[in-house]
Amino acid sequence: MIKSSNGSESNLMVLFMSICFPAPYSLGAQLYGSGCRFTLYAPDQDCVHLLLWHQGHQPQRLAMREYKRGYWTKEVADVVAGQDYSFEISHNGQTWCVADPYAQAVTGPLSYQPPYTPSQSTLLARCQVVDHAPFDWQGVSSPQRPMCDTVIFETHVKGLTQQHPDVEPAEKGRYLGLISPAMLAFYQQHHINCLQLLPITACLPEPHLLSQQKTNYWGYNPYVWMAPDPRYAEKDAVNELKTAIRELHRHDIEVILDVVFNHTAEGGDGGPILHFKAIDQAMYLQDNQQLRNYTGCGNTLDLRHPAALKLVLDTLRMWATHYHVDGFRFDLAATVGRDGEAFHPHSAFFHAIAQDPILSTVKLIAEPWDIGPNGYQLGQFPANWAECNDKIRDTTRSVWRGDPGKLQDFATRLMGSRDFFSASHWPDHLPINYVTYHDGFTLQDMVSYAKRHNHANGENNRDGHGDNRSANYGIEGPTDDPTIMAVREQQKRNMIASILFSLGTPHILTADLISHSQQGNNNAYCQDNPTSWLNWQTKDHAWSNWFATMIARRNAIVPRFIDALSGTQRHLNQIAWRHSNGDPIQDHQWPNLQTFSCQITLGAHHSNAGQSTLIAINSSDTAQALRLPSDHQWRIVCDTATDETTVTAPEAFQCLAAKSFLVCIDSDWL
């Protein structure tokens, strides 16, 4: 504590000093009253220089001092937001420029010509000082929507609007395109309340892609985690992204970021020297001095390492506080929970998130696997996490394709996959239910291709999922055959209804709203072209309207049943499983079933006590007569046998069409 002239402790002076001079352990570029403090954690270095770049001039080269073991710092007067900088270090006898891992903006080109060299690093590694204070949020706050009321729409910033005819040219494929009038109208029409953006942090293409003049379109090769990718901005990525999020919030739409903390763009031993390999290789898991590769990308970040853990937590807090994002989807999230080779749901990372006053309040979604030992961890994440549920994806595809013996498992998936996600932890620990994701077939391709067609990726069609559980229904690819087209449309309705009306949080590929096709490419990660850019000219209005109506009905129906089946009240409701003739299903009958109905009735504890919903499935190729319970006045709100959306009253024996999914409610409470 600083002493005043009379010997008393001066809290005022301490406060003044903390405002004017950032703490030395605040890494990155920290502006203060008259300049900027640059701090880099680089314990592997004996000497670090700060480079300040000025257009058309040689950089100003300033020696940094080691404030404490591994912490290098330099205060520079008169530096303001917008200043370009990088760090100069030595590695294996060569001088390199490296990026600041804490940089909040980058200005260097996010590309290079392999092999990466020290001379190229002087351009690539350039970062920029950022001041977040001037941005005006205009009093707009986050919707803070419960997870059970959320429908997630997975979206690529560029692909969404690059070909949209009604988006201004300057906004196509950019952050501001997300909030163009055409897109805001689209969100409203389809009841979109949450966008999950594929990675938007600065990334680099892998060397093999650069050698083929391709790019990592999806963005899953992270370079600088705190910097928004400038390729999606017209001028200023920081402020344009903030503007997009503010206006999405103004329209009651949340934003979730897909984040990648399992590896970095430095790749394996032969990859480029970007930062960590030179400043602190201990951030990587080691095995006889070889980088461990639990991701398939060449290296694995070690969150047992204090510097790595701090960087990830600081990054998440930065996005939550400075950009007001509503949550994060963690790519290959089993990696962030590893303690060496073993995954632990009580790892330091999970505990740090749980006790953090900011991060514990946002949406947390895990992709619950990686390719390391025991990498499949579905259902094993902490109770405050949701998880991507591949079980419902695979089972839904199998059931509607006609694979035998899948209906019992399908019933489990419809009821929230409680074999993996105990309802005692609902609504906090919910499955994220999906049938399509960015990595795989689009919905249109699921019903149009029996095999993947990935030749354009340059890997001889060896990449991408092999087990797609898809079908073409007679012809591989597009067709004008009306019979095949009708079957495909019904199968699309079946799969989407299965996701929307199952218990959990639906995840929808935005491309599926307009039936976008990738021509059978189920791994279009390097296709920054019309293969991935949504084709708005082919939008089917009948399909789009049906989809939008079903989303609205899901939002009115499913959350109240999730609520009733959550926590201690989950056993107080009635669930009845029946054959189509109304008889109860016996356990031994499940393996051979092709049809069933499930009726859920809310118990007396619930505010809507006595209300029921009924879901009926016919996976066979012939129609069945469905006997509806006579103690309710039923209304059909979804019948995938048709694209009609009118709410109708069924007959006592309702025709359950072949390959169809039916949803009824017992009153007019939509």
Side-chain angles (χ1 to χ4, degrees):
M1 187 68 72
I2 297 174
K3 300 288 185 178
S4 67
S5 57
N6 62 6
S8 64
E9 295 178 345
S10 175
N11 290 323
L12 182 60
M13 180 62 72
V14 172
L15 178 61
F16 173 77
M17 293 293 290
S18 67
I19 293 173
C20 294
F21 299 99
Y25 302 114
S26 295
L27 297 173
Q30 302 288 324
L31 290 168
Y32 59 89
S34 59
C36 184
R37 169 179 281 155
F38 298 87
T39 306
L40 176 71
Y41 179 69
D44 288 352
Q45 290 295 312
D46 295 323
C47 177
V48 179
H49 283 85
L50 169 69
L51 301 182
L52 297 179
W53 297 90
H54 305 281
Q55 190 171 7
H57 298 84
Q58 288 297 309
Q60 184 180 0
R61 187 171 181 267
L62 303 170
M64 302 180 75
R65 67 183 181 94
E66 192 171 21
Y67 181 86
K68 186 181 178 181
R69 174 60 185 149
Y71 286 87
W72 298 85
T73 189
K74 180 65 178 179
E75 294 171 10
V76 186
D78 301 324
V79 169
V80 297
Q83 172 67 57
D84 286 4
Y85 72 99
S86 56
F87 298 114
E88 183 183 83
I89 53 88
S90 177
H91 182 71
N92 292 338
Q94 294 180 307
T95 300
W96 294 84
C97 286
V98 296
D100 180 2
Y102 273 73
Q104 298 190 25
V106 294
T107 60
L110 295 180
S111 183
Y112 61 90
Q113 182 61 47
Y116 190 56
T117 61
S119 62
Q120 293 188 77
S121 73
T122 61
L123 287 175
L124 178 65
R126 296 187 191 183
C127 306
Q128 190 174 77
V129 177
V130 171
D131 183 5
H132 291 285
F135 186 80
D136 184 5
W137 286 95
Q138 300 178 1
V140 176
S141 59
S142 166
Q144 297 186 334
R145 184 172 291 104
M147 186 64 90
C148 64
D149 293 326
T150 301
V151 180
I152 296 170
F153 291 84
E154 188 183 27
T155 301
H156 189 283
V157 170
K158 182 175 183 179
L160 183 67
T161 62
Q162 183 68 20
Q163 296 193 108
H164 199 299
D166 299 325
V167 174
E168 292 295 325
E171 297 178 348
K172 289 180 184 290
R174 292 175 170 157
Y175 298 120
L176 295 181
L178 296 173
I179 55 170
S180 61
M183 292 314 305
L184 292 175
F186 178 78
Y187 306 146
Q188 183 179 26
Q189 176 190 353
H190 291 86
H191 310 285
I192 292 176
N193 63 27
C194 179
L195 293 182
Q196 179 176 296
L197 303 180
L198 269 74
I200 59 167
T201 59
C203 82
L204 287 175
E206 294 84 343
H208 78 276
L209 291 177
L210 290 170
S211 297
Q212 301 176 55
Q213 287 75 53
K214 290 185 171 70
T215 189
N216 189 315
Y217 170 72
W218 287 348
Y220 289 94
N221 202 41
Y223 169 41
V224 179
W225 282 307
M226 293 188 184
D229 197 315
R231 289 175 288 201
Y232 305 141
E234 182 179 8
K235 296 178 181 178
D236 180 347
V238 171
N239 286 313
E240 290 174 33
L241 176 57
K242 288 181 180 179
T243 299
I245 294 173
R246 182 189 67 198
E247 296 310 306
L248 288 169
H249 283 174
R250 194 191 302 276
H251 288 82
D252 205 32
I253 299 168
E254 293 187 328
V255 177
I256 292 174
L257 298 189
D258 198 330
V259 290
V260 185
F261 295 119
N262 50 70
H263 77 285
T264 80
E266 292 179 295
D269 290 326
I273 306 299
L274 303 176
H275 33 53
F276 298 133
K277 281 184 176 178
I279 65 175
D280 187 11
Q281 188 154 318
M283 280 191 177
Y284 292 103
L285 297 176
Q286 299 291 315
D287 182 6
N288 296 324
Q289 302 304 310
Q290 299 297 311
L291 300 177
R292 294 195 182 183
N293 183 13
Y294 296 152
T295 66
C297 302
N299 62 59
T300 301
L301 208 69
D302 186 359
L303 291 194
R304 298 173 301 177
H305 191 292
L309 180 60
K310 173 177 168 55
L311 173 57
V312 171
L313 294 173
D314 288 348
T315 298
L316 294 172
R317 278 190 292 266
M318 190 279 301
W319 287 109
T321 56
H322 291 315
Y323 289 85
H324 296 193
V325 301
D326 302 281
F328 304 95
R329 180 263 189 190
F330 292 77
D331 177 68
L332 299 182
T335 298
V336 301
R338 285 190 179 276
D339 182 2
E341 287 195 348
F343 172 87
H344 289 292
H346 302 293
S347 70
F349 174 70
F350 294 133
H351 281 305
I353 291 281
Q355 62 78 44
D356 190 284
I358 296 172
L359 300 181
S360 61
T361 65
V362 302
K363 290 180 168 68
L364 302 168
I365 300 171
E367 183 182 41
W369 51 77
D370 63 18
I371 65 169
N374 299 310
Y376 190 72
Q377 295 292 334
L378 182 69
Q380 300 306 308
F381 280 69
N384 60 320
W385 286 66
E387 301 178 37
C388 300
N389 182 13
D390 64 322
K391 293 295 186 182
I392 194 171
R393 175 199 65 192
D394 294 345
T395 303
T396 298
R397 293 180 179 188
S398 293
V399 163
W400 296 117
R401 188 174 67 170
D403 298 0
K406 299 291 185 180
L407 216 55
Q408 184 173 12
D409 187 52
F410 187 50
T412 301
R413 305 301 144 223
L414 288 174
M415 292 302 295
S417 297
R418 291 180 292 175
D419 51 341
F420 290 95
F421 302 92
S422 171
S424 64
H425 295 148
W426 289 7
D428 295 321
H429 193 202
L430 282 173
I432 303 296
N433 294 329
Y434 66 99
V435 73
T436 54
Y437 229 90
H438 66 271
D439 53 346
F441 279 140
T442 65
L443 186 64
Q444 186 65 40
D445 288 353
M446 273 293 304
V447 298
S448 302
Y449 294 91
K451 299 178 180 179
R452 67 191 178 204
H453 296 266
N454 296 357
H455 297 88
N457 297 347
E459 300 181 44
N460 296 317
N461 206 35
R462 293 191 302 265
D463 61 305
H465 292 303
D467 181 18
N468 294 291
R469 308 189 188 194
S470 61
N472 63 28
Y473 302 102
I475 296 175
E476 188 78 349
T479 181
D480 294 327
D481 185 310
T483 301
I484 295 176
M485 292 174 65
V487 171
R488 289 177 175 179
E489 290 303 302
Q490 183 164 336
Q491 292 289 57
K492 286 162 57 179
R493 292 193 293 270
N494 283 332
M495 286 189 275
I496 291 302
S498 300
I499 296 304
L500 289 178
F501 292 101
S502 59
L503 300 181
T505 298
H507 171 286
I508 304 296
L509 193 62
T510 306
D512 294 342
L513 290 169
I514 60 171
S515 297
H516 178 73
S517 170
Q518 295 178 169
Q519 296 83 51
N521 193 324
N522 75 347
N523 189 35
Y525 76 104
C526 58
Q527 299 299 319
D528 187 4
N529 54 50
T531 297
S532 299
W533 304 340
L534 301 196
N535 184 358
W536 293 89
Q537 302 293 343
T538 61
K539 181 178 178 181
D540 181 338
H541 290 283
W543 163 252
S544 185
N545 291 338
W546 179 89
F547 209 145
T549 302
M550 292 308 118
I551 293 170
R553 291 180 184 173
R554 179 268 168 199
N555 290 342
I557 296 169
V558 175
R560 70 184 69 188
F561 285 92
I562 292 176
D563 177 65
L565 292 167
S566 295
T568 57
Q569 61 189 16
R570 64 190 184 279
H571 300 302
L572 303 178
N573 309 282
Q574 295 180 347
I575 303 177
W577 299 92
R578 301 187 182 96
H579 293 281
S580 58
N581 65 5
D583 292 342
I585 297 173
Q586 304 302 318
D587 287 346
H588 70 277
Q589 296 173 320
W590 277 103
N592 298 317
L593 285 184
Q594 291 186 299
T595 63
F596 71 76
S597 71
C598 171
Q599 181 181 348
I600 308 174
T601 303
L602 301 181
H605 67 287
H606 200 272
S607 59
N608 297 295
Q611 286 186 344
S612 284
T613 187
L614 183 143
I615 294 176
I617 308 296
N618 181 6
S619 65
S620 74
D621 294 323
T622 58
Q624 303 287 328
L626 173 68
R627 181 177 180 178
L628 292 168
S630 59
D631 56 344
H632 292 276
Q633 292 186 338
W634 297 105
R635 297 290 184 270
I636 297 175
V637 296
C638 175
D639 183 354
T640 61
T642 175
D643 61 8
E644 291 293 326
T645 58
T646 305
V647 175
T648 59
E651 303 293 333
F653 283 88
Q654 174 69 21
C655 176
L656 189 57
K659 297 287 187 186
S660 69
F661 186 108
L662 186 76
V663 180
C664 299
I665 56 174
D666 65 350
S667 61
D668 294 323
W669 46 272
L670 279 177

